[in-house]
Amino acid sequence: QIQLVESGGGLVQAGGSLRLSCAASGGTFSLYVMAWFRQAPGKGRELVLGFTSSGKEIYYSDSVKGRFTISRDNAKNAVYLQMNSLKPQDTAVYYCAARLTTSLNYEFWGQGTQVTVSS
C-alpha cells in the first residue's frame, strides 16, 4: 500500500507563490494516478488538479487555471503543486491523493499541508 506525505505549505501574502511536494513510498509509483485536493475551512474537499490517463495535466477548478500547475517526477516518486499568484480564497488544507490506474476512486491520502494566504 502506498503512503503519501505532503510538505511545503505555509503562510504567504496574496500574490506570492508556494510549491507543495508529495513524496510517495511503499508502492509501485507507476501504478498510481496522482492528484491534488484541497479543503477550505467549512467547505468540502475539492479536486483541484490531476492527470489524464496519458499523463497530461487536467484542471478541475477554473479558479486555479493559469496559476497552479501539477507535475510528476516518477524517478523521485513525487508529485508537485506549483501555486502562483495566490489569493486568500486559496487558503485550505492541501492533500496529495493517489489511486491505482485500475481504480475509479482516490483512496490513498497524505496527511495534508496547510496553506494560508493573507490579504
Side-chain angles (χ1 to χ4, degrees), residues 67-119:
R67 300 190 298 118
F68 289 13
T69 301
I70 191 171
S71 60
R72 175 173 178 146
D73 189 335
N74 289 328
K76 296 182 178 180
N77 287 4
V79 64
Y80 306 96
L81 180 63
Q82 179 66 47
M83 305 185 294
N84 300 323
S85 301
L86 283 162
K87 304 175 181 180
Q89 299 93 319
D90 296 318
T91 295
V93 177
Y94 284 74
Y95 296 92
C96 179
R99 62 175 175 87
L100 289 166
T101 56
T102 55
S103 298
L104 297 177
N105 301 317
Y106 289 94
E107 57 187 355
F108 305 103
W109 299 87
Q111 82 286 355
T113 185
Q114 176 71 48
V115 173
T116 302
V117 184
S118 62
S119 301

Side-chain angles (χ1 to χ4, degrees), residues 34-55:
M34 308 298 296
W36 284 97
F37 289 75
R38 68 183 180 184
Q39 186 166 13
K43 305 295 183 181
R45 187 174 58 197
E46 175 190 18
L47 176 57
V48 181
L49 284 165
F51 294 99
T52 67
S53 59
S54 62

